[in-house]
Amino acid sequence: MAITLADVEAARRTIAGRVLRTPMLPAPKLSALTGASVQVKYENLQVTNSFKERGALNKLASLSAVERERGVIAMSAGNHAQAVAYHAARLGIPATIVMPVTTPFVKVHATKACGAEVVLHGETIADAQLRAETLEHERGLTFVHPYDDAKVIAGQGTIALEMLEDAPDLDLIVIPIGGGGLIAGNALAARAVKPSIEIVGAEAALYPSFWNTLRGEARPLGGATLAEGIAVKNVGALTLPIVRDLVAEIVLVDEQSLERAVNAYLTLQKTMAEGAGAAGLAAMLAKPERFRGRNVGLVLCGGNIDPRILASIMVRELERDERMVSVRLTIPDRPGVLGQIATRLGELSANILEVDHHRLFLDVPAKGAKVDVTVETRDRAHVQEILAALEAEGFQPQRIEAAVAME
C-alpha cells in the first residue's frame, strides 16, 4: 500500500485548523428516496467547495523551502486546481494550473481568482497532464498530482476518520471514483478503523477506467459527462492496488442518474452538488437494491456546478417528474383561439409557462397554425387530464420535450 493509517492520522494533524471539519448529518429525505438510512458528509462546504483541499494542503505542507520558492504545478478539471491555488496562495507558493479547455468557466474563474496562473490545454485531464509534465520540467516546478500522490491520498483519507467518529454505525460508504485518490485514502482509513465496513465506488459510465482495469474489460471511454470531475481515463498507479484490495464494488452511473442526484441534493437537501459530487447518491439511485436497508454514508465531495447547467437539470427533472409538460397543438388560424386555449388550461389548473406560435409549418393547412404550449402541472394524472381535454377540443395535442421547448 502507498499509505498507512498512520499517514492519514499524520495528515489530519497537518491540516487541522486550516481545512474545515465538515458536518456529517442524517438525510431523512434521501433515506426515503433510496430506502436506506443515509447520512451525508458535506465536503461542498469547504472554502473552495470540495474535498480537494485536504490532499492539496497535506502535499503543499510537505514541500521544502526550495520547492516552495520554485513553485508548484498541477493539472485539474477544477476542484484540485482551486484547492492547490488557494492553499498555495496562503503559503506564499507560486502555482501554475493546467486545465482542459472543457472545464466549466466557474471553475476556471475561481482558480484564477486564487492567484494561480491558469493554462488551458486539451480536451481531457490526460491531455492537461501531458502539458503540465512538460511545464514541470521546463520550469523546475513540483508536481502536485490530483490523485496519484501518497500525501494527497493520505489527506483525502481524513474524511473517513471524521465520518466514522460522527457515525460509527455506518455499514457502507459510497465514494465517487475517478483517478482513485479520494476512494483509496478513505477506503484505507475506514477499513483500518472499522474492518467490517464496505466501500463502494461510484464511477461515471462514460469513463469506466477502474471498471475496465479491475474487470479486464475494454468499455469505451469518452463523451460529455456531467461528472467532469471524475472523467479520468488513467487510473492511479498508487491508488489501484488499494482500490483492488479494499473496495467491495464499483457501480457505473449514467447521466440520467447523475442529473437525478444533483437535483435531489438541491431540492431535498437544499445544497449544491456538482455531477461528480453527487455520484455516490447517483449510484444508490441506479442500483437501489444494493443499498436498501443499510446504514450508508455519502461523501458530497464537491459543489462547483455551472449555474446554467444546474438550471437545465432542474427543468429536465420537472419534465421527468411530469410536473411540466410541453404540448404541440394544431389550431385554426383565427382570432380568439389562443384565448380559448388559455382559458381552457386555466380551468384545468395548468399554469402556462411559455407559448410559441408557428404559421409556416408545411404540415399545417394555410389557414391553420401550430402552437407549442409549456405548462406547469401537478403529476402524471393531471397531464393526462390536460391532454384528454385538449383532444376533446379538437387541438390534436402531441407531447414534445419540455427542455427543448424552453431553449
Side-chain angles (χ1 to χ4, degrees):
M1 298 294 182
I3 63 167
T4 65
L5 178 61
D7 294 318
V8 180
E9 291 171 336
R12 187 176 190 182
R13 292 190 293 272
T14 297
I15 68 175
R18 293 186 283 179
V19 169
L20 180 65
R21 190 191 194 286
T22 53
M24 173 82 170
L25 301 173
K29 292 180 180 179
L30 296 185
S31 298
L33 178 67
T34 62
S37 178
V38 178
Q39 297 194 55
V40 177
K41 180 69 166 169
Y42 288 90
E43 285 297 294
N44 62 335
L45 297 180
Q46 298 289 355
V47 173
T48 61
N49 304 114
S50 93
F51 76 97
K52 290 286 191 177
E53 290 189 29
R54 296 173 181 264
L57 177 56
N58 194 46
K59 174 66 175 181
L60 292 172
S62 73
L63 300 182
S64 68
V66 172
E67 289 171 326
R68 292 187 182 207
E69 183 177 356
R70 288 178 179 172
V72 297
I73 189 164
M75 90 284 190
S76 169
N79 289 338
H80 180 64
Q82 292 174 62
V84 171
Y86 174 70
H87 285 286
R90 287 183 56 254
L91 296 171
I93 302 172
T96 302
I97 313 294
V98 184
M99 310 179 80
V101 296
T102 54
T103 303
F105 174 76
V106 63
K107 295 185 179 182
V108 175
H109 176 74
T111 304
K112 289 181 177 179
C114 291
E117 175 189 352
V118 173
V119 177
L120 297 177
H121 180 83
E123 295 289 325
T124 67
I125 287 290
D127 297 333
Q129 180 171 351
L130 292 175
R131 180 59 178 157
E133 289 171 348
T134 299
L135 293 175
E136 173 194 6
H137 297 299
E138 289 178 354
R139 302 182 184 181
L141 306 175
T142 297
F143 200 92
V144 183
H145 199 283
Y147 55 83
D148 211 20
D149 180 283
K151 291 291 185 182
V152 170
I153 296 169
Q156 319 305 26
T158 60
I159 296 172
L161 298 183
E162 296 174 9
M163 292 178 75
L164 288 174
E165 285 177 356
D166 293 344
D169 61 340
L170 290 179
D171 301 322
L172 187 153
I173 302 176
V174 191
I175 302 175
I177 180 170
L182 176 63
I183 198 169
N186 285 285
L188 189 143
R191 293 290 300 278
V193 172
K194 186 176 182 178
S196 63
I197 198 165
E198 278 192 282
I199 307 297
V200 172
E203 189 168 45
L206 290 175
Y207 290 84
S209 302
F210 264 99
W211 177 282
N212 284 345
T213 302
L214 295 175
R215 291 172 173 254
E217 296 185 14
R219 296 193 181 201
L221 289 88
T225 176
L226 183 62
E228 75 281 341
I230 55 174
V232 174
K233 292 186 176 182
N234 301 312
V235 305
L238 300 181
T239 61
L240 176 58
I242 301 175
V243 173
R244 179 184 285 120
D245 289 351
L246 300 179
V247 173
E249 181 182 359
I250 291 177
V251 177
L252 297 181
V253 292
D254 61 20
E255 295 305 300
Q256 181 171 324
S257 296
L258 288 165
E259 289 184 27
R260 288 183 61 202
V262 168
N263 187 69
Y265 270 123
L266 182 65
T267 58
L268 300 181
Q269 297 305 112
K270 311 306 179 187
T271 192
M272 296 279 279
E274 61 190 84
L281 177 57
M284 297 186 71
L285 297 175
K287 201 172 182 180
E289 70 284 352
R290 175 69 172 83
F291 307 98
R292 191 173 291 118
R294 309 289 297 280
N295 292 324
V296 179
L298 292 177
V299 182
L300 199 181
C301 61
N304 291 308
I305 188 169
D306 188 316
R308 181 183 60 83
I309 298 298
L310 183 60
S312 175
I313 289 170
M314 294 177 68
V315 170
R316 291 159 66 90
E317 287 304 304
L318 286 171
E319 181 189 5
R320 289 191 181 108
D321 291 342
E322 299 207 66
R323 293 171 55 197
M324 186 175 75
V325 62
S326 287
V327 183
R328 178 162 291 166
L329 308 176
T330 301
I331 66 171
D333 191 10
R334 64 171 185 261
V337 176
L338 285 178
Q340 177 187 345
I341 293 170
T343 299
R344 189 71 182 102
L345 289 172
E347 293 170 350
L348 293 164
S349 300
N351 183 37
I352 298 175
L353 300 176
E354 186 171 272
V355 177
D356 195 7
H357 199 190
H358 306 280
R359 285 186 171 85
L360 302 179
F361 286 179
L362 294 179
D363 62 345
V364 180
K367 293 186 177 181
K370 285 192 182 291
V371 175
D372 295 345
V373 184
T374 301
V375 295
E376 186 178 10
T377 55
R378 292 190 298 269
D379 51 30
R380 178 172 297 180
H382 191 203
V383 171
Q384 295 306 313
E385 179 187 359
I386 292 167
L387 293 175
L390 293 173
E391 182 70 36
E393 296 281 343
F395 295 127
Q396 305 171 41
Q398 294 179 313
R399 289 283 297 270
I400 56 176
E401 294 290 337
V404 173
M406 293 291 285
E407 288 180 355

PDB file of all heavy atoms in Angstrom, residues 269-288:
ATOM      1  N   GLN A 269     -32.217  18.348  -0.133  1.00  0.00           N
ATOM      2  CA  GLN A 269     -31.265  18.726   0.905  1.00  0.00           C
ATOM      3  C   GLN A 269     -30.931  20.206   0.916  1.00  0.00           C
ATOM      4  O   GLN A 269     -30.246  20.683   1.830  1.00  0.00           O
ATOM      5  CB  GLN A 269     -29.974  17.924   0.737  1.00  0.00           C
ATOM      6  CG  GLN A 269     -30.146  16.427   0.904  1.00  0.00           C
ATOM      7  CD  GLN A 269     -30.780  16.066   2.227  1.00  0.00           C
ATOM      8  OE1 GLN A 269     -31.911  15.589   2.263  1.00  0.00           O
ATOM      9  NE2 GLN A 269     -30.088  16.306   3.311  1.00  0.00           N
ATOM     10  N   LYS A 270     -31.400  20.929  -0.115  1.00  0.00           N
ATOM     11  CA  LYS A 270     -31.142  22.371  -0.223  1.00  0.00           C
ATOM     12  C   LYS A 270     -29.648  22.674  -0.196  1.00  0.00           C
ATOM     13  O   LYS A 270     -29.187  23.611   0.446  1.00  0.00           O
ATOM     14  CB  LYS A 270     -31.859  23.149   0.896  1.00  0.00           C
ATOM     15  CG  LYS A 270     -33.316  22.797   1.073  1.00  0.00           C
ATOM     16  CD  LYS A 270     -34.112  22.935  -0.217  1.00  0.00           C
ATOM     17  CE  LYS A 270     -35.580  22.542  -0.027  1.00  0.00           C
ATOM     18  NZ  LYS A 270     -36.323  22.512  -1.293  1.00  0.00           N
ATOM     19  N   THR A 271     -28.884  21.869  -0.951  1.00  0.00           N
ATOM     20  CA  THR A 271     -27.443  22.058  -1.022  1.00  0.00           C
ATOM     21  C   THR A 271     -26.972  21.816  -2.440  1.00  0.00           C
ATOM     22  O   THR A 271     -27.613  21.098  -3.213  1.00  0.00           O
ATOM     23  CB  THR A 271     -26.727  21.109  -0.044  1.00  0.00           C
ATOM     24  OG1 THR A 271     -25.358  21.487   0.078  1.00  0.00           O
ATOM     25  CG2 THR A 271     -26.796  19.656  -0.502  1.00  0.00           C
ATOM     26  N   MET A 272     -25.835  22.411  -2.790  1.00  0.00           N
ATOM     27  CA  MET A 272     -25.312  22.332  -4.151  1.00  0.00           C
ATOM     28  C   MET A 272     -24.380  21.136  -4.300  1.00  0.00           C
ATOM     29  O   MET A 272     -23.468  20.952  -3.492  1.00  0.00           O
ATOM     30  CB  MET A 272     -24.542  23.611  -4.484  1.00  0.00           C
ATOM     31  CG  MET A 272     -25.401  24.863  -4.485  1.00  0.00           C
ATOM     32  SD  MET A 272     -26.300  25.066  -6.011  1.00  0.00           S
ATOM     33  CE  MET A 272     -25.012  25.781  -7.024  1.00  0.00           C
ATOM     34  N   ALA A 273     -24.601  20.361  -5.340  1.00  0.00           N
ATOM     35  CA  ALA A 273     -23.714  19.253  -5.674  1.00  0.00           C
ATOM     36  C   ALA A 273     -23.403  19.311  -7.157  1.00  0.00           C
ATOM     37  O   ALA A 273     -24.307  19.426  -7.982  1.00  0.00           O
ATOM     38  CB  ALA A 273     -24.363  17.915  -5.326  1.00  0.00           C
ATOM     39  N   GLU A 274     -22.124  19.235  -7.508  1.00  0.00           N
ATOM     40  CA  GLU A 274     -21.766  19.072  -8.913  1.00  0.00           C
ATOM     41  C   GLU A 274     -21.976  17.612  -9.293  1.00  0.00           C
ATOM     42  O   GLU A 274     -22.260  16.760  -8.429  1.00  0.00           O
ATOM     43  CB  GLU A 274     -20.329  19.500  -9.138  1.00  0.00           C
ATOM     44  CG  GLU A 274     -19.303  18.695  -8.368  1.00  0.00           C
ATOM     45  CD  GLU A 274     -17.927  19.311  -8.446  1.00  0.00           C
ATOM     46  OE1 GLU A 274     -17.620  20.232  -7.662  1.00  0.00           O
ATOM     47  OE2 GLU A 274     -17.160  18.866  -9.311  1.00  0.00           O
ATOM     48  N   GLY A 275     -21.816  17.302 -10.573  1.00  0.00           N
ATOM     49  CA  GLY A 275     -22.074  15.940 -11.016  1.00  0.00           C
ATOM     50  C   GLY A 275     -21.224  14.913 -10.299  1.00  0.00           C
ATOM     51  O   GLY A 275     -21.723  13.887  -9.814  1.00  0.00           O
ATOM     52  N   ALA A 276     -19.909  15.162 -10.210  1.00  0.00           N
ATOM     53  CA  ALA A 276     -19.026  14.227  -9.513  1.00  0.00           C
ATOM     54  C   ALA A 276     -19.367  14.155  -8.037  1.00  0.00           C
ATOM     55  O   ALA A 276     -19.317  13.085  -7.424  1.00  0.00           O
ATOM     56  CB  ALA A 276     -17.570  14.648  -9.712  1.00  0.00           C
ATOM     57  N   GLY A 277     -19.724  15.290  -7.451  1.00  0.00           N
ATOM     58  CA  GLY A 277     -20.066  15.317  -6.036  1.00  0.00           C
ATOM     59  C   GLY A 277     -21.292  14.505  -5.707  1.00  0.00           C
ATOM     60  O   GLY A 277     -21.439  13.976  -4.598  1.00  0.00           O
ATOM     61  N   ALA A 278     -22.201  14.388  -6.667  1.00  0.00           N
ATOM     62  CA  ALA A 278     -23.451  13.657  -6.460  1.00  0.00           C
ATOM     63  C   ALA A 278     -23.364  12.210  -6.912  1.00  0.00           C
ATOM     64  O   ALA A 278     -24.360  11.475  -6.844  1.00  0.00           O
ATOM     65  CB  ALA A 278     -24.580  14.360  -7.218  1.00  0.00           C
ATOM     66  N   ALA A 279     -22.201  11.760  -7.380  1.00  0.00           N
ATOM     67  CA  ALA A 279     -22.084  10.419  -7.958  1.00  0.00           C
ATOM     68  C   ALA A 279     -22.441   9.316  -6.968  1.00  0.00           C
ATOM     69  O   ALA A 279     -22.996   8.279  -7.350  1.00  0.00           O
ATOM     70  CB  ALA A 279     -20.673  10.205  -8.502  1.00  0.00           C
ATOM     71  N   GLY A 280     -22.106   9.497  -5.701  1.00  0.00           N
ATOM     72  CA  GLY A 280     -22.449   8.487  -4.703  1.00  0.00           C
ATOM     73  C   GLY A 280     -23.946   8.274  -4.599  1.00  0.00           C
ATOM     74  O   GLY A 280     -24.433   7.132  -4.578  1.00  0.00           O
ATOM     75  N   LEU A 281     -24.697   9.373  -4.524  1.00  0.00           N
ATOM     76  CA  LEU A 281     -26.150   9.268  -4.498  1.00  0.00           C
ATOM     77  C   LEU A 281     -26.663   8.700  -5.819  1.00  0.00           C
ATOM     78  O   LEU A 281     -27.615   7.906  -5.833  1.00  0.00           O
ATOM     79  CB  LEU A 281     -26.772  10.645  -4.237  1.00  0.00           C
ATOM     80  CG  LEU A 281     -28.298  10.710  -4.244  1.00  0.00           C
ATOM     81  CD1 LEU A 281     -28.906   9.747  -3.232  1.00  0.00           C
ATOM     82  CD2 LEU A 281     -28.771  12.145  -3.968  1.00  0.00           C
ATOM     83  N   ALA A 282     -26.044   9.071  -6.925  1.00  0.00           N
ATOM     84  CA  ALA A 282     -26.446   8.532  -8.225  1.00  0.00           C
ATOM     85  C   ALA A 282     -26.310   7.015  -8.253  1.00  0.00           C
ATOM     86  O   ALA A 282     -27.145   6.311  -8.836  1.00  0.00           O
ATOM     87  CB  ALA A 282     -25.597   9.156  -9.339  1.00  0.00           C
ATOM     88  N   ALA A 283     -25.267   6.486  -7.621  1.00  0.00           N
ATOM     89  CA  ALA A 283     -25.096   5.036  -7.558  1.00  0.00           C
ATOM     90  C   ALA A 283     -26.231   4.383  -6.782  1.00  0.00           C
ATOM     91  O   ALA A 283     -26.714   3.300  -7.153  1.00  0.00           O
ATOM     92  CB  ALA A 283     -23.751   4.697  -6.911  1.00  0.00           C
ATOM     93  N   MET A 284     -26.688   5.033  -5.727  1.00  0.00           N
ATOM     94  CA  MET A 284     -27.803   4.498  -4.950  1.00  0.00           C
ATOM     95  C   MET A 284     -29.094   4.522  -5.757  1.00  0.00           C
ATOM     96  O   MET A 284     -29.923   3.611  -5.642  1.00  0.00           O
ATOM     97  CB  MET A 284     -27.972   5.292  -3.653  1.00  0.00           C
ATOM     98  CG  MET A 284     -26.786   5.214  -2.710  1.00  0.00           C
ATOM     99  SD  MET A 284     -27.110   6.024  -1.126  1.00  0.00           S
ATOM    100  CE  MET A 284     -28.291   4.871  -0.392  1.00  0.00           C
ATOM    101  N   LEU A 285     -29.268   5.549  -6.571  1.00  0.00           N
ATOM    102  CA  LEU A 285     -30.460   5.636  -7.405  1.00  0.00           C
ATOM    103  C   LEU A 285     -30.406   4.635  -8.562  1.00  0.00           C
ATOM    104  O   LEU A 285     -31.428   4.095  -8.978  1.00  0.00           O
ATOM    105  CB  LEU A 285     -30.604   7.055  -7.959  1.00  0.00           C
ATOM    106  CG  LEU A 285     -30.811   8.159  -6.916  1.00  0.00           C
ATOM    107  CD1 LEU A 285     -30.823   9.527  -7.589  1.00  0.00           C
ATOM    108  CD2 LEU A 285     -32.100   7.944  -6.130  1.00  0.00           C
ATOM    109  N   ALA A 286     -29.193   4.374  -9.061  1.00  0.00           N
ATOM    110  CA  ALA A 286     -29.034   3.466 -10.187  1.00  0.00           C
ATOM    111  C   ALA A 286     -29.165   2.004  -9.766  1.00  0.00           C
ATOM    112  O   ALA A 286     -29.609   1.160 -10.551  1.00  0.00           O
ATOM    113  CB  ALA A 286     -27.668   3.686 -10.850  1.00  0.00           C
ATOM    114  N   LYS A 287     -28.804   1.707  -8.519  1.00  0.00           N
ATOM    115  CA  LYS A 287     -28.798   0.317  -8.047  1.00  0.00           C
ATOM    116  C   LYS A 287     -29.364   0.250  -6.635  1.00  0.00           C
ATOM    117  O   LYS A 287     -28.681  -0.133  -5.677  1.00  0.00           O
ATOM    118  CB  LYS A 287     -27.361  -0.223  -8.090  1.00  0.00           C
ATOM    119  CG  LYS A 287     -27.239  -1.731  -8.121  1.00  0.00           C
ATOM    120  CD  LYS A 287     -25.790  -2.151  -8.354  1.00  0.00           C
ATOM    121  CE  LYS A 287     -25.696  -3.673  -8.423  1.00  0.00           C
ATOM    122  NZ  LYS A 287     -24.278  -4.110  -8.644  1.00  0.00           N
ATOM    123  N   PRO A 288     -30.631   0.592  -6.464  1.00  0.00           N
ATOM    124  CA  PRO A 288     -31.196   0.734  -5.111  1.00  0.00           C
ATOM    125  C   PRO A 288     -31.170  -0.545  -4.292  1.00  0.00           C
ATOM    126  O   PRO A 288     -31.027  -0.501  -3.062  1.00  0.00           O
ATOM    127  CB  PRO A 288     -32.632   1.205  -5.387  1.00  0.00           C
ATOM    128  CG  PRO A 288     -32.920   0.807  -6.796  1.00  0.00           C
ATOM    129  CD  PRO A 288     -31.615   0.896  -7.518  1.00  0.00           C
TER     130      PRO A 288
END
